[in-house]
Amino acid sequence: MPASAPITQDVMTFPRKLPDGPPNLVGMTRDAMREALIAVGTPEKQAKMRVGQIWQWIYHWGVRDFAQMTNLAKDYRTMLAEQFVIEVPEVMTRQVSDDGTRKYLVRIAGGHEVEVVYIPETDRGTLCISSQVGCTLTCSFCHTGTQKLVRNLTAGEIIGQVMIARDDLGEWPVPGAPKDETRLLSNIVLMGMGEPLYNFENVRDAMKIAMDPHGIQLSRRRITLSTSGVVPEIARTAQEIGCQLAISFHATTDEVRDKLVPINKRWDIAELLDALRSYPKVSNSERITFEYVMLDGVNDTDEDARRLIKLIDGIPAKINLIPFNEWPGAPYKRSSNNRIRTFADIIYKAGYASPIRTPRGEDIMAACGQLKSATERARKSRAQIAQEAGL
Ligand code: SAH
Ligand code: SF4
């Protein structure tokens, strides 16, 4: 692609409310739900209270059947069941890795599929969720970027991934049972398929639902949004979501970053760093995670490590080094363990945490950048990927 080519957002945007059938309550903001209830005859004075009750059934107790909402009058429940649905995406397959990682293939409206990954650790459990089917960006090391078919997920489909995982983990509270403080699903990362900042409103609404104190109740400090660098939306993320931010940085010169993360041609390293400088203050978050995929002979020299330190000077940061996860046809190799350790050491000595991410669920293709929907069979050829990467 010539350097001047604009990066277009060629997304088949999907209406937020699905066209057929009654509206889904899952994914509506509190305001939207209030309006929807009034539209079907709920008296305005009662609407806020009804939202509170229904909200708690859906997001605190995990109830999907209006009949179980026992603090609502029977007639009202019948009316709700006629006018609305409570729907989450359908789980098509569930794979469990040797290391306990679970990968779900879920089907959303239109027959599209996305992948969701649950990663258990000793002190936490992280759910990696998707925001789009495929991705319009074509990072040359990423499997998702080779997928042609793209559509934005609705807010319901995004929060629905969290609800499905809670179903599978058996994590909805049981009435009367003592409250269990250790949560199996304690963290969310928007690091699955898609560029979350190209689907801003739906991602925001879904994360607001995840954070709501009367429902799933995850702190904004336990939610991390990863972006390849959609600069204009970074300030909005701080203001309107306030979650933790991770940046797919991956290179220390524009020349290399242009090839690895082509959105860099639109907003280069300098513009990206400018946007990042104000993020922690506005969002009141501690530090930004810089993700850095280790590609043999491409971005992994000592000089790269030193340049990286200079670039991020003044930004509260943690550098997450990701050993490259290979996929069929990938035009890169993973850096050697020694190289990764030396690189990490240089960064660590400069005063930054530099953890090396252990690949999880590799045996089920659940590791970072390996996700790709099974419905999308038209795969770009190895030659095409290499050509687009400028190799
Ligand atoms: N689109 C967003 C979020 C999804 S990707 C983004 O790019 O940030 C989540 C992380 O996995 C990103 O840092 C991405 O660069 C990284 N990644 C993609 N492909 C990878 C691969 N094959 N090996 C290791 N990490 C990869
Ligand atoms: Fe899209 Fe992120 Fe993959 Fe790039 S790394 S192609 S932005 S999912």
Side-chain angles (χ1 to χ4, degrees), residues 294 296-297 300-303 305 335-346:
M294 297 298 291
D296 184 32
D300 62 350
T301 62
D302 290 358
E303 210 189 334
S335 308
S336 72
N337 288 346
N338 272 344
R339 182 90 296 272
I340 300 178
R341 258 183 255 122
T342 310
F343 195 97
D345 215 42
I346 296 173

Side-chain angles (χ1 to χ4, degrees), residues 11-136:
V11 180
M12 208 167 74
T13 32
F14 210 70
R16 302 182 89 205
K17 198 162 78 178
L18 300 175
D20 305 321
N24 188 3
L25 292 182
V26 177
M28 285 186 188
T29 60
R30 280 179 179 266
D31 284 347
M33 199 185 286
R34 185 175 170 274
E35 274 166 38
L37 293 183
I38 292 170
V40 296
T42 307
E44 270 198 55
K45 273 192 186 156
Q46 289 177 13
K48 197 172 167 207
M49 187 174 79
R50 298 285 169 251
V51 170
Q53 290 168 314
I54 296 168
W55 191 276
Q56 203 167 25
W57 283 117
I58 298 178
Y59 297 116
H60 178 77
W61 298 111
V63 161
R64 308 273 152 80
D65 180 359
F66 291 104
Q68 289 176 35
M69 302 187 176
T70 46
N71 58 355
L72 299 174
K74 249 195 169 156
D75 293 354
Y76 191 65
R77 283 184 253 162
T78 311
M79 184 279 290
L80 289 175
E82 282 163 10
Q83 299 287 348
F84 300 106
V85 292
I86 304 170
E87 257 172 27
V88 295
E90 193 185 349
V91 179
M92 305 308 291
T93 59
R94 168 180 172 275
Q95 286 170 279
V96 183
S97 156
D98 292 343
D99 68 14
T101 302
R102 300 180 187 199
K103 181 167 93 170
Y104 310 96
L105 180 69
V106 304
R107 179 169 290 175
I108 56 173
H112 306 301
E113 288 168 351
V114 291
E115 291 178 330
V116 187
V117 180
Y118 173 72
I119 307 144
E121 286 171 274
T122 41
D123 59 339
R124 66 168 90 180
T126 304
L127 191 71
C128 178
I129 61 175
S130 295
S131 55
Q132 297 183 312
V133 180
C135 184
T136 47

Side-chain angles (χ1 to χ4, degrees), residues 73-370:
K74 249 195 169 156
D75 293 354
Y76 191 65
R77 283 184 253 162
T78 311
M79 184 279 290
L80 289 175
E82 282 163 10
Q83 299 287 348
F84 300 106
V85 292
I86 304 170
E87 257 172 27
V88 295
E90 193 185 349
V91 179
M92 305 308 291
T93 59
R94 168 180 172 275
Q95 286 170 279
V96 183
S97 156
D98 292 343
D99 68 14
T101 302
R102 300 180 187 199
K103 181 167 93 170
Y104 310 96
L105 180 69
V106 304
R107 179 169 290 175
I108 56 173
H112 306 301
E113 288 168 351
V114 291
E115 291 178 330
V116 187
V117 180
Y118 173 72
I119 307 144
E121 286 171 274
T122 41
D123 59 339
R124 66 168 90 180
T126 304
L127 191 71
C128 178
I129 61 175
S130 295
S131 55
Q132 297 183 312
V133 180
C135 184
T136 47
L137 301 170
T138 50
C139 302
S140 50
F141 55 89
C142 175
H143 203 202
T144 307
T146 67
Q147 185 172 327
K148 287 192 189 116
L149 183 72
V150 175
R151 90 153 164 85
N152 280 336
L153 299 196
T154 62
E157 289 162 347
I158 298 170
I159 194 65
Q161 296 169 56
V162 179
M163 296 164 76
I164 283 170
R166 294 199 94 193
D167 291 349
D168 187 45
L169 296 166
E171 205 176 26
W172 297 105
V174 178
K179 205 174 162 209
D180 191 353
E181 295 300 339
T182 51
R183 288 176 66 158
L184 295 170
L185 199 172
S186 62
N187 293 61
I188 295 176
V189 293
L190 280 145
M191 293 187 187
M193 294 162 71
E195 169 47 61
L197 296 188
Y198 271 164
N199 187 13
F200 187 87
E201 282 83 8
N202 289 320
V203 165
R204 176 199 57 203
D205 291 352
M207 292 307 100
K208 289 279 182 205
I209 294 172
M211 293 180 217
D212 191 289
H214 301 288
I216 297 167
Q217 256 186 80
L218 283 177
S219 148
R220 62 189 186 82
R221 295 185 185 279
R222 292 183 170 272
I223 299 176
T224 304
L225 182 151
S226 173
T227 178
S228 57
V230 186
V231 165
E233 305 289 4
I234 289 178
R236 253 182 112 192
T237 307
Q239 287 154 7
E240 298 180 33
I241 311 178
C243 58
Q244 305 295 312
L245 188 68
I247 295 288
S248 293
F249 207 63
H250 305 320
T252 60
T253 64
D254 282 321
E255 196 195 344
V256 176
R257 196 163 191 270
D258 280 353
K259 287 181 186 153
L260 298 181
V261 190
I263 201 176
N264 196 67
K265 294 178 193 165
R266 182 80 167 78
W267 295 288
D268 65 12
I269 292 180
E271 285 175 281
L272 176 59
L273 290 171
D274 266 356
L276 295 181
R277 283 182 208 285
S278 40
Y279 190 89
K281 212 165 140 201
V282 180
S283 65
N284 189 23
S285 62
E286 294 122 35
R287 42 185 191 171
I288 291 176
T289 301
F290 284 77
E291 297 165 282
Y292 199 97
V293 64
M294 297 298 291
L295 303 171
D296 184 32
V298 176
N299 62 354
D300 62 350
T301 62
D302 290 358
E303 210 189 334
D304 278 306
R306 286 193 278 268
R307 247 194 317 259
L308 179 60
I309 296 160
K310 273 210 190 108
L311 285 170
I312 63 173
D313 188 37
I315 303 176
K318 158 176 142 187
I319 291 83
N320 213 331
L321 299 175
I322 317 175
F324 174 58
N325 294 312
E326 300 199 4
W327 37 271
Y332 301 107
K333 292 244 160 318
R334 180 184 292 187
S335 308
S336 72
N337 288 346
N338 272 344
R339 182 90 296 272
I340 300 178
R341 258 183 255 122
T342 310
F343 195 97
D345 215 42
I346 296 173
I347 294 167
Y348 182 73
K349 288 198 174 118
Y352 296 96
S354 55
I356 300 167
R357 193 181 287 173
T358 321
R360 298 289 302 264
E362 274 183 304
D363 52 337
I364 54 169
M365 285 282 283
C368 298
Q370 289 185 319

